[in-house]
Amino acid sequence: MMKVVFGIDVSKSASTVCELIGESKNEFEITNDRPGFLQLLKELHVFAIHPQIIFEATGVYSRRLQTFLEDYGYDYIILNPLKAKKEMDQGLRHNKTDRNDAYHLALIQKLYHHPVNQSQAEEYHQLNALSRFYDQLTSDLIMAKNRLHQALQSTFPEIETLFSNSKGNNYWQIIKQYPHCESMIESDKEQIVRWLLTLKGFGNKHAQKTAKKLLKLAHKSYPVVKDDSVETKQARYYADRQLVLSSQRERIIDQMTALAKKLPNRDLEILESIPGFAQTTAVRVLAELGDMRRFSNPNKINAFIGIDPGRYQSGEMDSSLSITKHGNAVARKILYRAIGQIDNAAKTNPCHIADYYESKKRSSQTKGFKKIAIASIHKLIRTIYALIQNDQLYDYSVATHNQKDFCRN
């Protein structure tokens, strides 16, 4: 029977659809709403066997189409836009001015035979949405932190040296209470101590020491503006913003953890068993990679997150390039940071991935540690995939034993 492919070029409010039946094609446009999707459904129902449906991932716009197809039991192929463009450029001959992407997507499917996307439980979609919300809040935190820094340069810049370690909620609470050095000077030490004791983690000794340092910094400071200035109000606002955003991020991780524990597997527990994988890292890796059982091998996950090596082929030349970066950039970033966390944790909790990372760094003749980290991510993904496929928790002795067997073979 002749294969039928539906190529769909998804835009904001409308989509172009190309039905490719053998060499003939039929093109039409639909709106990205219920009437438009029902029009598409009518066209799909014409064929006894479900056509292959292919489109590009375009964020929230393509998500609506995905939901419709899943609701009506249709499989689909969804491509990363960069990968789709590359395949169009390499595999198809078309004019540069030709904008018929729906037709080209259908041709790509006929040429490359991409497998359909494996559907996942709704919980994975919710986890992914929460992970992206967490990422947005992190960006908002960074913006608020930068704006707070700018305001403090006019009101109380020395307070930024109060704590030498990482700044947390207590630091933001102190700035919210004392955003200007004059407000600090106007308070006596015992008044400051009593207020500090209301903060979590402050004992009397720590409060006395902090109050003394705060007063010293306040007397040392020379502000640009007065205590009742707009900049003072900005400093207080952005300190409060840090507290609100940090609290929201914590609630999101709690939601994600509760959701992950409802899944009919122990994937979260498996990820948390890897040294250096705190709960936040574990649940976000799960949210970004989804159900890893849907991948036939670890290389598919590498391609999914865009750390598979690109290749350049021209005539007799065939060389490997740097990673493609075609996939999930958020997952790439989380896993890249995870390598550093694994390496730090290895001081007390050994991991064969940290052993590999340190070995490569020692033997490297250059400072190309980023490439070493990417190679370590490959190893980490293989480890995660094997643990989940076999429903096993991480065990250093088992991992090193398997590593030796792999090297011998």
Side-chain angles (χ1 to χ4, degrees), residues 379-394:
K379 187 173 286 290
L380 173 59
I381 286 173
R382 288 197 298 272
T383 299
I384 291 172
Y385 187 79
L387 292 175
I388 286 178
Q389 287 288 349
N390 296 304
D391 192 32
Q392 294 177 343
L393 299 179
Y394 182 83

Side-chain angles (χ1 to χ4, degrees), residues 167-191:
K167 299 173 174 61
N169 282 358
N170 283 343
Y171 174 70
W172 311 125
Q173 290 278 17
I174 291 169
I175 293 178
K176 184 181 175 181
Q177 182 73 10
Y178 301 106
H180 195 286
C181 60
E182 288 177 6
S183 61
M184 179 67 65
I185 294 170
E186 289 170 0
S187 304
D188 62 60
K189 183 182 175 183
E190 289 310 309
Q191 183 182 354

Side-chain angles (χ1 to χ4, degrees), residues 3 53 62 65 74 113 127 157 165 174 205 214 263 269 281 302 310 325 335 391-392 400 402-403:
K3 185 183 295 183
I53 304 167
S62 60
L65 177 60
Y74 280 89
H113 307 291
L127 280 170
N165 55 354
I174 291 169
K205 186 176 180 180
L214 277 167
L263 292 168
E269 183 185 356
T281 300
N302 291 338
K325 294 186 180 181
L335 290 167
D391 192 32
Q392 294 177 343
T400 50
N402 290 343
Q403 193 71 20

Side-chain angles (χ1 to χ4, degrees), residues 18-142:
C18 176
E19 297 177 12
L20 195 59
I21 310 167
E23 298 300 321
S24 64
K25 65 177 180 177
N26 174 40
E27 293 179 318
F28 57 95
E29 190 172 277
I30 62 170
T31 51
N32 293 337
D33 53 20
R34 185 178 297 276
F37 292 149
L38 290 177
Q39 180 188 348
L40 176 61
L41 183 64
K42 184 178 179 181
E43 294 290 335
L44 292 169
H45 276 169
V46 169
F47 303 97
I49 298 178
H50 283 189
Q52 295 185 5
I53 304 167
I54 183 169
F55 54 94
E56 295 178 25
T58 55
V60 292
Y61 307 134
S62 60
R63 185 74 185 96
R64 283 185 286 177
L65 177 60
Q66 284 178 253
T67 302
F68 159 74
L69 293 172
E70 289 169 4
D71 286 347
Y72 284 89
Y74 280 89
D75 293 330
Y76 56 85
I77 299 98
I78 184 165
L79 293 183
N80 178 281
L82 291 174
K83 183 174 183 179
K85 182 180 182 303
K86 181 180 177 182
E87 291 185 352
M88 285 182 191
D89 291 341
Q90 289 184 347
L92 305 176
R93 292 183 178 180
H94 59 276
N95 297 325
K96 295 294 184 183
T97 55
D98 190 348
R99 303 293 296 172
N100 194 346
D101 287 341
Y103 175 53
H104 293 144
L105 284 167
L107 287 176
I108 279 176
Q109 182 57 17
K110 288 191 70 174
L111 183 64
Y112 291 101
H113 307 291
H114 291 290
V116 298
N117 284 55
Q118 297 296 315
S119 61
Q120 300 185 83
E122 178 58 28
E123 286 83 358
Y124 287 106
H125 294 301
Q126 293 178 39
L127 280 170
N128 187 255
L130 286 167
S131 178
R132 296 308 170 92
F133 188 17
Y134 182 94
D135 221 37
Q136 291 166 2
L137 290 172
T138 301
S139 297
D140 292 344
L141 267 170
I142 294 169

Side-chain angles (χ1 to χ4, degrees), residues 204-269:
N204 186 64
K205 186 176 180 180
H206 184 31
Q208 292 281 349
K209 183 179 178 181
T210 303
K212 182 179 179 181
K213 187 173 182 180
L214 277 167
L215 284 167
K216 183 179 179 180
L217 291 172
H219 283 287
K220 182 181 177 183
S221 186
Y222 196 94
V224 176
V225 296
K226 297 296 182 183
D227 189 23
D228 59 353
S229 67
V230 172
E231 288 86 349
T232 302
K233 293 182 177 65
Q234 284 180 308
R236 180 174 280 116
Y237 171 81
Y238 284 116
D240 183 64
R241 187 77 176 139
Q242 291 281 346
L243 291 165
V244 171
L245 291 170
S246 296
S247 177
Q248 181 64 44
R249 286 205 318 167
E250 290 173 8
R251 287 197 295 272
I252 284 177
I253 293 300
D254 290 341
Q255 283 181 264
M256 293 174 72
T257 302
L259 195 57
K261 288 179 178 178
K262 290 180 181 178
L263 292 168
N265 54 55
R266 58 171 187 162
D267 290 2
L268 181 61
E269 183 185 356

